[in-house]
């Protein structure tokens, strides 16, 4: 748990398919003291398939069910904030039409098997810029999906805030920290990474560009809360990481 009185806005959780998923997420948030969560569709692939694509590449032609996610979030009294999970191959026009109903964009090379320099990715980012959406993306080790590729994309799109999910996909991507820290519109989201990586994210990016996340349901929120408490931050810094920075990206009050 965080210190009493520190608001928590989880910048990365997922809603898996099924009618019970929102209630389960809200119950986990209540148990952990999390007020609000950014959510994207989850459960698109089996974990065996996802891990294989992270390691070896590949594409899954799967739809995220963004309408379902939006509908479920709309019934949460403002606690669940929906992101549109877009496949560049199939979702450019769908995102363009729906962007006003969502709070941000997620793109995933691990799931949909694209390069960050794909023209369709540029189309999605243009829509995100017009909607004032942050863009969440996890880098991989394959050509076109590395931290250098994200740095290039962010430098071409300086008006868009990018959120580097999990500080990379290895848990210990110090090279990625070094590459992305100088790019001012890239923010580091720390769910899933090692404590030492999260500490370095704060040191290299600065406390104003680091975001708390849980990766629920793959990670229990209490694990990420314990990691955040171990970062050695001053109370004012902890408030920024746990909610303040996310609130500014989303235009949300966090008091």
């Amino acid at each position: 748990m965080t210190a009493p009185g520190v608001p928590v806005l989880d910048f990365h959780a997922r809603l898996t398919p099924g009618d019970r998923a929102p209630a389960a997420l809200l119950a986990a948030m209540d148990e952990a003291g999390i007020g609000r969560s950014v959510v994207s569709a989850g459960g698109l692939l089996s974990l065996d398939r996802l891990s294989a694509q992270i390691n070896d590449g590949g594409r899954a032609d799967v739809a995220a069910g963004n309408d379902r996610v939006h509908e479920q979030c709309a019934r949460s009294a403002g606690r669940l904030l929906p992101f549109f999970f877009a496949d560049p191959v199939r979702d450019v026009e769908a995102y363009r039409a729906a962007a006003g109903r969502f709070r941000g964009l997620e793109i995933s090379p691990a799931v949909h098997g694209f390069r960050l320099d794909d023209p369709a990715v540029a189309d999605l980012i243009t829509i995100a810029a017009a909607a004032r959406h942050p863009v969440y993306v996890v880098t991989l080790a394959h050509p076109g999906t590395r931290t250098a590729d994200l740095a290039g994309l962010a430098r071409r799109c300086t008006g868009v805030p990018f959120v580097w999910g999990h500080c990379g996909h290895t848990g210990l991507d110090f090279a990625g920290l070094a590459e992305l820290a100088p790019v001012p519109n890239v923010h580091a989201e720390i769910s899933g990474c090692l404590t030492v990586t999260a500490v370095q994210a704060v040191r290299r990016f600065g406390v104003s560009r680091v975001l708390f996340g849980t990766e629920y349901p793959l990670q229990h929120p209490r694990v990420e809360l314990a990691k955040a408490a171990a970062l050695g931050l001053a109370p004012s810094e902890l408030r920024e990481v746990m909610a303040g920075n996310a609130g500014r990206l989303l235009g949300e009050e966090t008091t």
Side-chain angles (χ1 to χ4, degrees):
M1 300 295 180
T2 56
V6 175
V8 183
L9 199 170
D10 174 3
F11 204 84
H12 187 62
R14 296 197 181 278
L15 279 174
T16 54
D19 293 339
R20 297 181 180 179
L25 171 54
L26 289 166
M29 291 165 59
D30 289 341
E31 179 188 354
I34 296 172
R36 286 170 290 177
S37 292
V38 165
V39 297
S40 296
L44 276 64
L45 303 179
S46 72
L47 295 182
D48 286 338
R49 173 76 179 273
L50 179 61
S51 63
Q53 292 192 180
I54 289 171
N55 289 338
D56 304 323
R59 167 176 168 77
D61 187 13
V62 290
N66 290 297
D67 288 342
R68 169 185 57 82
V69 170
H70 178 267
E71 291 168 5
Q72 291 174 331
C73 290
R75 296 193 293 268
S76 71
R79 295 188 66 192
L80 304 181
L81 310 176
F83 269 37
F84 191 101
F85 195 153
D87 174 1
V89 171
R90 65 194 298 169
D91 287 332
V92 172
E93 293 309 315
Y95 177 48
R96 193 189 311 277
R101 298 188 292 127
F102 288 81
R103 306 302 302 275
L105 171 68
E106 179 176 0
I107 53 176
S108 176
V111 172
H112 292 123
F114 55 86
R115 295 173 57 100
L116 293 174
D117 57 3
D118 188 312
V121 171
D123 291 340
L124 289 171
I125 301 306
T126 297
I127 299 165
R132 303 180 66 84
H133 281 173
V135 178
Y136 185 95
V137 57
V138 180
T139 53
L140 303 175
H142 312 303
T145 70
R146 296 170 176 153
T147 50
D149 302 296
L150 177 56
L153 178 61
R155 288 189 172 110
R156 292 191 297 274
C157 306
T158 56
V160 177
F162 290 85
V163 178
W164 182 38
H166 313 315
C167 290
H169 73 290
T170 69
L172 192 64
D173 191 355
F174 272 46
L177 291 172
E179 194 148 37
L180 291 172
V183 186
N185 57 321
V186 177
H187 304 253
E189 185 271 316
I190 59 174
S191 69
C193 68
L194 297 177
T195 305
V196 67
T197 307
V199 168
Q200 285 297 314
V202 172
R203 290 177 180 171
R204 299 187 187 196
F205 281 68
V207 73
S208 66
R209 289 168 53 207
V210 176
L211 306 169
F212 172 80
T214 65
E215 182 65 306
Y216 174 93
L218 298 184
Q219 181 83 302
H220 198 291
R222 288 200 303 267
V223 175
E224 293 299 331
L225 289 167
K227 183 171 75 183
L231 298 182
L233 300 178
S236 61
E237 295 174 324
L238 188 64
R239 290 180 69 91
E240 294 297 276
V241 169
M242 301 307 293
N245 298 331
R248 279 187 289 277
L249 285 183
L250 297 166
E252 288 280 323
E253 295 292 330
T254 58
T255 55

